[in-house]
Amino acid sequence: MNQYMKENIQQFQTENENKARFLIKCPDQPGIVAAVSDFLFKHEANIIASDQHTIDPNGGQFFMRIEFVCPNLKEKSEILEQEFQPIAEKFSMDWQLLYVSQLKNIAIFVSKEPHCLLELVWEYQSGDLMANIALVISNHETSRETVEALGIPFYYIPANKDIRQQVEEKQIQLLKEHNVDLIVLARYMQILTSHFVEKYENKIINIHHSFLPAFIGAKPYERAYQRGVKMIGATSHYVTNDLDEGPIIEQDIERVTHRDSSDNMKKIGQSIERTVLSRAVKWHLQDRIIVHGNKTIVF
């Protein structure tokens, strides 16, 4: 990590040392917002951002994200968590209290195509991806030089379906050693086992090279070209055991015409993939996503 990146991170952590976020999901009922707001007021916290959404005010699910500033937050954190528990129990809340200055550790998985990795690394270098890229794991050596030039550990682990279990055992060990909070599949072209996915529920973000559910599988741009599509896109989603059917976080599209070859479509598609994955990862890092069933609420 270069000096510029270190200074960016230090400045971010200093500026946000007293900032935290509540993510809350519970059955909708009167009094939720009032109870949370009153709790924060009693602990001298100032709400600086608040978003809420209900699926149905008559017994549906309610979702809320509150960002607040609280003096001496580090010293108060344990008390806040303990004293919020009765409120959470009263409203049957599924909740998290997340501290902004505590950066998440990311592991990036990549195969041959480096475009998504390069986008994340650029955002990281520029200070716009506020996290710690703890390591990169790849089944190809293609990106080693790029990654190691930034002082990020790079691990080459050959992978195929015949040795998948052994490979994942090595990967899981590395993830534990680096205390990884989020795994980003930046065009990692290997299927993960159910054992691996279940260990990291809603903590694995994938980029899919089409506007799901269209063109699932191999050679999507060639198939899109043959079909004569007029729009191509990309989808970022959390990984589940149902291949490419996890909760969708972000999607985008761009128009193409009959003049675009499959190679041109691929270049356009890769540009979309980069931006879609980057946005999804940033939203996760900013605690903007609540998963509900096979859908997401993104504040």
Side-chain angles (χ1 to χ4, degrees):
M1 185 185 298
N2 62 37
Q3 188 61 32
Y4 175 76
M5 294 159 65
K6 287 181 181 178
E7 290 173 358
N8 271 336
I9 289 174
Q10 289 170 356
Q11 181 179 352
F12 176 87
Q13 291 179 314
T14 300
E15 290 175 352
N16 292 281
E17 62 183 357
N18 289 320
K19 189 181 292 184
R21 300 167 182 138
F22 266 120
L23 286 185
I24 295 169
K25 175 171 68 172
C26 63
D28 199 0
Q29 55 196 292
I32 300 169
V33 176
V36 176
S37 300
D38 185 59
F39 170 81
L40 291 172
F41 173 73
K42 288 177 178 177
H43 287 85
E44 303 180 307
N46 182 33
I47 296 172
I48 56 175
S50 179
D51 292 282
Q52 49 267 336
H53 171 71
T54 182
I55 292 177
D56 184 347
N58 299 313
Q61 283 288 306
F62 177 81
F63 309 88
M64 180 161 61
R65 176 186 185 270
I66 286 186
E67 189 165 282
F68 63 90
V69 174
C70 183
N72 303 312
L73 180 61
K74 187 175 181 179
E75 291 77 15
K76 292 181 178 179
S77 60
E78 189 173 336
I79 295 173
L80 286 172
E81 292 176 21
Q82 290 175 353
E83 296 189 0
F84 188 73
Q85 189 59 39
I87 296 173
E89 291 174 359
K90 177 182 178 180
F91 291 98
S92 301
M93 291 178 176
D94 179 358
W95 65 284
Q96 293 176 278
L97 180 55
L98 302 149
Y99 303 97
V100 176
S101 64
Q102 294 179 3
L103 299 185
K104 296 177 176 63
N105 292 326
I106 299 177
I108 301 177
F109 285 35
V110 64
S111 290
K112 280 186 178 181
E113 296 183 346
H115 56 285
C116 288
L117 169 67
L118 293 173
E119 181 73 18
L120 294 171
V121 167
W122 164 247
E123 296 277 9
Y124 177 60
Q125 285 181 285
S126 64
D128 293 327
L129 185 76
M130 197 47 64
N132 172 39
I133 299 181
L135 72 161
V136 173
I137 294 175
S138 181
N139 58 328
H140 294 275
E141 290 277 13
T142 314
S143 302
R144 178 183 290 277
E145 186 176 350
T146 299
V147 171
E148 291 185 339
L150 293 171
I152 300 170
F154 179 92
Y155 296 93
Y156 167 58
I157 305 177
N160 60 60
K161 63 181 181 180
D162 298 323
I163 56 171
R164 191 160 287 151
Q165 184 176 344
Q166 301 95 300
V167 168
E168 289 189 348
E169 287 174 1
K170 293 178 183 178
Q171 293 170 340
I172 290 170
Q173 183 59 40
L174 287 169
L175 297 175
K176 289 179 179 178
E177 289 174 6
H178 290 272
N179 297 313
V180 166
D181 303 297
L182 175 67
I183 301 165
V184 182
L185 306 184
R187 301 292 282 129
Y188 182 65
M189 306 307 292
Q190 295 289 317
I191 296 174
L192 303 176
T193 67
S194 59
H195 171 70
F196 189 99
V197 172
E198 287 164 5
K199 286 183 71 70
Y200 299 97
E201 184 179 9
N202 299 329
K203 293 182 178 179
I204 308 173
I205 295 179
N206 185 41
I207 184 67
H208 192 277
H209 47 211
S210 68
F211 193 72
L212 289 174
F215 303 113
I216 294 173
K219 298 186 176 180
Y221 297 110
E222 288 82 352
R223 291 161 60 204
Y225 172 74
Q226 292 166 3
R227 186 65 180 83
V229 302
K230 299 298 180 277
M231 290 189 294
I232 58 175
T235 301
S236 188
H237 62 93
Y238 287 114
V239 175
T240 65
N241 286 322
D242 296 318
L243 185 62
D244 295 329
E245 294 188 14
I248 291 172
I249 303 170
E250 173 63 335
Q251 296 179 291
D252 206 350
I253 56 172
E254 188 166 328
R255 297 196 67 85
V256 294
T257 74
H258 59 278
R259 301 182 190 280
D260 290 299
S261 66
S262 61
D263 286 342
N264 287 340
M265 286 187 181
K266 185 173 183 178
K267 289 178 182 178
I268 295 168
Q270 287 180 338
S271 177
I272 306 169
E273 290 169 23
R274 296 199 308 265
T275 56
V276 167
L277 180 60
S278 175
R279 283 199 293 265
V281 171
K282 287 180 182 178
W283 291 343
H284 182 100
L285 297 175
Q286 294 164 1
D287 309 311
R288 295 188 175 277
I289 308 168
I290 299 176
V291 177
H292 177 58
N294 203 41
K295 298 175 67 175
T296 60
I297 308 299
V298 182
F299 287 119

